[in-house]
Amino acid sequence: LDNTDNMIVTGSSETVQLWDLRKMKVLHNFTELHSNDVTSVKISKQHNNLILTASEDYLWNLLDTKESELEDEYLEASYTSEQPLSKCNFISNSSLAYLISNVNTIEILDLDTMLVKSKFDCSKQSEKLETIISAQEVDGNLLFYIGDFAGRMYIYRYNINQAKEEVYELYCF
């Protein structure tokens, strides 16, 4: 789930629900956005009317809640990944979003064009299976913390303004 001061968005099974906290009621029950478990929902911090949803059905959706009545009117854009999705989020002060797949691939999407600006496959960095631990925005960079079963830690850094990417290996723990 994710929330603002007056709205909560939830995802489960194949359903996404939009709740009005002031009235304590469901504003909309989206039942046709996804055909598998919804794994992530995020509300834009810049534009409270924009919502991202990601699912194990490989689909990512961008919803706009401004002045919409029917389910298909909320849907602004859709993107199909090559893998099931586990997380999504907006990237602050930009028209970008990121997706993380269940197979540990990171995709940076341009929301204006719906094109992939960058794609990072964790399995190409190490012989061992890796896992994306978390993501964080710091000083114009999007940092993804990635670990492997050999105790190595990596940081995949995506510079938001320059669309530049780098990978750093940290010390073993």
Side-chain angles (χ1 to χ4, degrees):
L1 70 89
D2 198 12
N3 67 290
T4 64
D5 290 339
N6 58 8
M7 179 175 58
I8 291 180
V9 63
T10 63
S12 66
S13 302
E14 300 166 4
T15 303
V16 173
Q17 288 186 329
L18 185 59
W19 291 77
D20 183 335
L21 290 176
R22 296 167 296 195
K23 298 177 183 175
M24 294 306 292
K25 72 174 201 169
V26 175
L27 290 176
H28 201 84
N29 190 31
F30 299 97
T31 58
E32 297 180 16
L33 291 176
H34 295 286
S35 62
N36 207 326
D37 291 341
V38 176
T39 53
S40 186
V41 292
K42 288 294 177 184
I43 301 170
S44 171
K45 302 303 179 215
Q46 286 182 286
H47 308 285
N48 286 345
N49 57 301
L50 297 178
I51 298 171
L52 293 177
T53 69
S55 172
E56 290 184 355
D57 64 4
Y58 300 64
L59 281 178
W60 167 93
N61 291 308
L62 175 62
L63 306 175
D64 187 346
T65 62
K66 196 184 291 183
E67 301 177 27
S68 297
E69 297 275 332
L70 303 172
E71 184 166 338
D72 60 346
E73 292 174 347
Y74 281 91
L75 188 61
E76 279 294 303
S78 240
Y79 170 76
T80 303
S81 181
E82 296 174 2
Q83 300 166 351
L85 300 172
S86 65
K87 294 181 184 163
C88 66
N89 205 347
F90 292 92
I91 300 175
S92 298
N93 301 321
S94 73
S95 63
L96 302 173
Y98 70 81
L99 309 172
I100 298 175
S101 77
N102 288 350
V103 194
N104 297 321
T105 298
I106 301 164
E107 295 177 81
I108 309 292
L109 281 177
D110 184 325
L111 299 176
D112 293 331
T113 64
M114 294 309 295
L115 297 174
V116 175
K117 288 189 65 101
S118 181
K119 187 173 183 177
F120 179 75
D121 186 346
C122 295
S123 64
K124 294 182 181 172
Q125 293 297 317
S126 173
E127 299 149 7
K128 307 281 185 194
L129 178 65
E130 297 179 15
T131 184
I132 299 170
I133 299 164
S134 67
Q136 176 183 22
E137 281 187 62
V138 178
D139 297 330
N141 293 294
L142 192 55
L143 304 176
F144 294 91
Y145 301 97
I146 304 165
D148 68 16
F149 292 125
R152 289 183 293 255
M153 179 70 94
Y154 299 90
I155 295 178
Y156 165 62
R157 180 178 79 169
Y158 181 81
N159 184 301
I160 298 165
N161 299 323
Q162 298 174 357
K164 180 180 174 187
E165 50 190 280
E166 299 173 281
V167 178
Y168 301 94
E169 183 173 355
L170 303 178
Y171 296 104
C172 295
F173 296 102

